Amino acid sequence: MPRWKALPEELDPQVREFAGQLRRLVDRSGLSVAALADATGYSKTSWERYLNGRLLPPQRAVVALAEATGAQPAHLTTLWELAERAWSRDEMRQDVTMEAISVAQARAALGWDADQAEPPAKSAKFTKATKVAPAPGTTQLPSVPQQRRTDSPSAADFPEWAAAAAPSPAAPAAQSPARRTRRGRTLMIAAGAAGVALMGGAAFLLLNPGTGTAKKTAAPRSAAGPSAKQVLPAGVRCTGAGCVGKDPEAMGCGGAHAITPSRGRAGRAVIEVRYSKVCHTAWARISRAAPGDQATLSAGGHSATARAERDGAAYTPMVEVTGDPAKVAACGTTVAGVKGCSRPVPATPAGAPAPSAGAAVR
């Protein structure tokens, strides 16, 4: 009887039930994992992943297991379809969670409060804003686009102008005409000087947004990147350049720590880019492919290629990613010569990435 490992705690109940059913069928048949691999045509490594809940098997592998163990393929396929939908929903939730974390980090870097829907209003005194400069080797968080003003400053932009230029109260009737004239002339000179000073300051800020007090501020808080020392989550064994060329599953960068920023097709094969924000790495994944179809990914001066096995799936070693993962593309080539590359996953109306086209969440 095979000694199974405990299934991951984060597995969806339907996926857990399906994996348990596969284990029971293998136990009842008396087959070892190696014997099951010989009987179905799928590798021993693939079956270990399937039976331990690390990877959802393709439908063809499920049918092959049913034939090898004497089970009803139709019943087992029905359970597989339910598990496949649950697996896709889980991946979508993970993508939404990672997106929410990115938005929170971006707001924190910009100095917004968590419950603030709009940027903080500028002070009427127009204090020069400091520009946060990222530390060398760190990943720059996406900035919120700002529309640049093309019109000149007006009185509506500077309330002080209206206050300074407002006509003074009528002087007492007892004042002489000469005194009223001198007072009006003084107010006009003061208002003009204040207006010139304000216009000069506003023009300087508009034309030089990065100067001023930004030079005098202390070292700003920079976004955490691969070079920053950080405490890695349990099970994660590398980050950044230390992960290059390594297996994402063995290093703990896959599973719940990975999202799918881009996806495409090469013929019938699904080509995906998997990105781990914890490890700051990406890798290409090919699924639903024919044996011999391959996927290639390049980023950060490194490239990696994986060739699909008999189970129709494979993934490349990791490469380091220091920029926007949506700009990292993976391309696939089928044995028939059909080529295709991944494209950024479009957002749904709710703001969440579209569900994964593949069954695995590695």
Side-chain angles (χ1 to χ4, degrees):
M1 296 284 291
R3 294 184 178 179
W4 307 115
K5 296 181 180 179
L7 293 173
E9 295 181 358
E10 65 271 13
L11 276 184
D12 185 272
Q14 289 181 329
V15 179
R16 181 181 294 273
E17 179 185 356
F18 178 68
Q21 181 64 27
L22 295 183
R23 290 181 173 187
R24 285 190 290 272
L25 289 175
V26 175
D27 289 341
R28 191 184 308 164
S29 67
L31 294 173
S32 64
V33 177
L36 180 63
D38 294 337
T40 59
Y42 291 83
S43 66
K44 177 182 176 183
T45 302
S46 296
W47 277 117
E48 288 176 346
R49 294 171 183 167
Y50 301 156
L51 296 172
N52 287 323
R54 299 302 301 274
L55 186 65
L56 192 68
Q59 188 174 8
R60 288 176 294 179
V62 173
V63 174
L65 181 143
E67 294 174 351
T69 58
Q72 288 289 339
H75 297 166
L76 202 57
T77 301
T78 300
L79 292 178
W80 175 85
E81 292 175 352
L82 295 174
E84 196 275 339
R85 286 196 290 269
W87 197 294
S88 298
R89 289 196 303 269
D90 185 60
E91 179 170 306
M92 183 176 65
R93 287 194 295 269
Q94 293 166 7
D95 290 349
V96 172
T97 300
M98 294 304 297
E99 180 177 317
I101 293 175
S102 299
V103 171
Q105 291 177 342
R107 288 186 172 184
L110 292 171
W112 297 14
D113 293 332
D115 57 350
Q116 207 169 14
E118 297 293 337
K122 291 184 179 180
S123 169
K125 296 183 178 180
F126 286 84
T127 305
K128 297 180 182 179
T130 59
K131 183 177 180 181
V132 180
T138 60
T139 303
Q140 179 69 28
L141 288 173
S143 59
V144 177
Q146 300 287 332
Q147 293 185 351
R148 191 165 186 173
R149 291 189 55 175
T150 56
D151 56 324
S152 301
S154 65
D157 297 320
F158 301 94
E160 292 86 349
W161 291 8
S168 58
Q175 287 186 341
S176 66
R179 173 178 262 180
R180 287 198 299 270
T181 302
R182 285 196 300 271
R183 183 176 181 182
R185 194 173 300 166
T186 303
L187 289 175
M188 290 179 62
I189 294 175
V196 170
L198 287 174
M199 288 183 64
F204 181 81
L205 286 177
L206 289 173
L207 297 177
N208 301 276
T211 59
T213 57
K215 297 180 181 179
K216 301 179 182 180
T217 57
R221 178 181 59 188
S222 61
S227 61
K229 293 183 179 179
Q230 55 182 329
V231 178
L232 299 178
V236 179
R237 300 170 59 187
C238 68
T239 182
C243 295
V244 174
K246 297 181 180 179
D247 187 320
E249 183 179 351
M251 294 294 105
C253 298
H257 298 303
I259 61 173
T260 303
S262 62
R263 182 183 301 114
R265 287 185 178 273
R268 297 184 60 183
V270 177
I271 309 298
E272 297 174 289
V273 172
R274 298 288 288 164
Y275 172 71
S276 173
K277 188 172 182 65
V278 173
C279 299
H280 299 281
T281 56
W283 59 95
R285 181 176 70 190
I286 183 171
S287 59
R288 300 182 184 178
D293 292 354
Q294 65 180 20
T296 302
L297 175 138
S298 299
H302 299 277
S303 62
T305 301
R307 192 180 303 272
E309 302 174 0
R310 295 187 63 180
D311 60 358
Y315 58 95
T316 69
M318 292 184 285
V319 297
E320 184 181 14
V321 175
T322 57
D324 185 0
K327 296 181 180 180
V328 179
C331 295
T333 305
T334 67
V335 291
V338 179
K339 298 183 179 180
C341 296
S342 65
R343 294 185 178 183
V345 175
T348 63
S356 173
V361 183
R362 185 182 304 106

